[in-house]
C-alpha cells in the first residue's frame, strides 16, 4: 500500500511550522486565533439522541447504511450549569448518517460498510478514549465506524457524546499530550497527525468539545478535508 502523501487535499509539510498548519487542517479545522473558551456558541438545528454504554457492548449500532441506534429523549443535564460554558443546544442525531452531509463523502469513507458487526461487535463495543473520563452519567453517545472488514488499516470513526462541560476543556488540555490544540471561538479542538506504526499511511486523531458535546474522529489512510466542520454543523 503506497504512503498517503496528501491527507486532506493539503500536502503534509516536513517542517515543524508547516506540520502545525497541516495538523490543524486535518479534519477540516482552519487555523484560528485564540478565543475565550467560555464563549457561548450560536444555536443550531440537530435534535435527536442515541443511547449507548461505554465499553459495555451496548453502544449505537448501524443497520445497513444508516447507522440507526436506540433513540431516547435528551436527558436533563446532571451538571451545574456554568454561564457561557454549559450549552445544551447541541444534540446528537439518531443515526450515523445524520452526522454528515448526504452525498458529500460518498467518494470517501461513506463508500465503506458502516458499523459492520465484524468490525464493531454485536452489540457495538465503544472503545475508551480521552472523552471517557468526562462522559455524562447517562452515557448518551453515538459511535460510528466506516470500515471494510477486509481492510488492513483504512477506516474512519466518529464518536459524539454528551460530556461534563465543567471538566472537559481542562481534561483535554492535560490528557492530549503531543496534540496541536486551538480555540475556534465556539469551542476547543485538538489534533494529532502521525505515520502509522505498522503501515506506510497517515493516521489522524481529532477531538473537539463545545458546550456539553464532545466529538472524536479517528482515521487512517482517508483524506477528509472539512469533516469536523461538517459534523459540528449537524450537531449544533
Amino acid at each position: 500500500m503506497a504512503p498517503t502523501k496528501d491527507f486532506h487535499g493539503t500536502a503534509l509539510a516536513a517542517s515543524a511550522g508547516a506540520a502545525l498548519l497541516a495538523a490543524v487542517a486535518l479534519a477540516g479545522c482552519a487555523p484560528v486565533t485564540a478565543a475565550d473558551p467560555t464563549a457561548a456558541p450560536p444555536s443550531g438545528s440537530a435534535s435527536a439522541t442515541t443511547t449507548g454504554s461505554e465499553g459495555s457492548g451496548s453502544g449505537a449500532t448501524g443497520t445497513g447504511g444508516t447507522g440507526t441506534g436506540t433513540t431516547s429523549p435528551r436527558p436533563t443535564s446532571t451538571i451545574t450549569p456554568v454561564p457561557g460554558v454549559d450549552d445544551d443546544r447541541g444534540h446528537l442525531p439518531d443515526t450515523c448518517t445524520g452526522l454528515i452531509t448526504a452525498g458529500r463523502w460518498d467518494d470517501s469513507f461513506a463508500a465503506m460498510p458502516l458499523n459492520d458487526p465484524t468490525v464493531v461487535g454485536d452489540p457495538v463495543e465503544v472503545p475508551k478514549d480521552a472523552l471517557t473520563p468526562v462522559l455524562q452519567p447517562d452515557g448518551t453517545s453515538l459511535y460510528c465506524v466506516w470500515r471494510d472488514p477486509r481492510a488492513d488499516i483504512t477506516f474512519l470513526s466518529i464518536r459524539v457524546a454528551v460530556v461534563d462541560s465543567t471538566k472537559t476543556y481542562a481534561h483535554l488540555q492535560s490528557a492530549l499530550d503531543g496534540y496541536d490544540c486551538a480555540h475556534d471561538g465556539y469551542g476547543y479542538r485538538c489534533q494529532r497527525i502521525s505515520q502509522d506504526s505498522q503501515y506506510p499511511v497517515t493516521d489522524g486523531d481529532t477531538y473537539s468539545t463545545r458546550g456539553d458535546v464532545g466529538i472524536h474522529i479517528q482515521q487512517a489512510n482517508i483524506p477528509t478535508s472539512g469533516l469536523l466542520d461538517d459534523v459540528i454543523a449537524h450537531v449544533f
Side-chain angles (χ1 to χ4, degrees):
M1 181 180 296
T4 300
K5 298 295 186 182
D6 187 352
F7 207 66
H8 289 273
T10 301
L12 298 179
S15 67
L20 173 60
L21 293 177
V24 176
L26 178 62
C29 313
V32 294
T33 55
D36 183 356
T38 65
S43 60
S45 59
S47 61
T49 67
T50 301
T51 301
S53 178
E54 176 79 22
S56 65
S58 57
T61 184
T63 56
T66 62
T68 302
T70 302
T71 59
S72 65
R74 175 70 169 268
T76 301
S77 177
T78 58
I79 63 177
T80 301
V82 176
V85 176
D86 186 35
D87 186 347
D88 283 333
R89 288 176 290 180
H91 299 279
L92 280 66
D94 57 3
T95 67
C96 291
T97 52
L99 286 172
I100 57 178
T101 298
R104 178 174 178 179
W105 308 103
D106 286 354
D107 293 331
S108 181
F109 65 90
M112 296 185 289
L114 170 58
N115 282 2
D116 187 291
T118 62
V119 173
V120 299
D122 186 12
V124 174
E125 301 235 0
V126 182
K128 293 183 178 181
D129 59 13
L131 296 179
T132 299
V134 291
L135 292 176
Q136 284 272 27
D138 56 64
T140 304
S141 179
L142 182 62
Y143 181 60
C144 315
V145 180
W146 287 265
R147 181 171 188 165
D148 189 320
R150 301 166 297 179
D152 291 330
I153 184 63
T154 303
F155 83 99
L156 185 141
S157 68
I158 302 174
R159 182 188 194 184
V160 183
V162 178
V163 296
D164 185 336
S165 63
T166 66
K167 300 177 180 179
T168 305
Y169 170 64
H171 170 68
L172 292 183
Q173 277 189 307
S174 62
L176 299 180
D177 185 39
Y179 286 66
D180 294 311
C181 300
H183 302 297
D184 61 4
Y186 303 122
Y188 188 60
R189 304 183 183 195
C190 293
Q191 187 172 82
R192 182 179 64 189
I193 298 175
S194 60
Q195 292 300 305
D196 189 82
S197 60
Q198 186 176 359
Y199 297 92
V201 300
T202 305
D203 297 334
D205 197 30
T206 304
Y207 285 89
S208 175
T209 180
R210 170 177 164 183
D212 67 348
V213 175
I215 299 171
H216 182 203
I217 300 175
Q218 288 183 294
Q219 57 204 111
N221 200 34
I222 299 177
T224 57
S225 180
L227 176 59
L228 178 57
D229 288 336
D230 193 27
V231 173
I232 289 175
H234 286 79
V235 175
F236 291 91

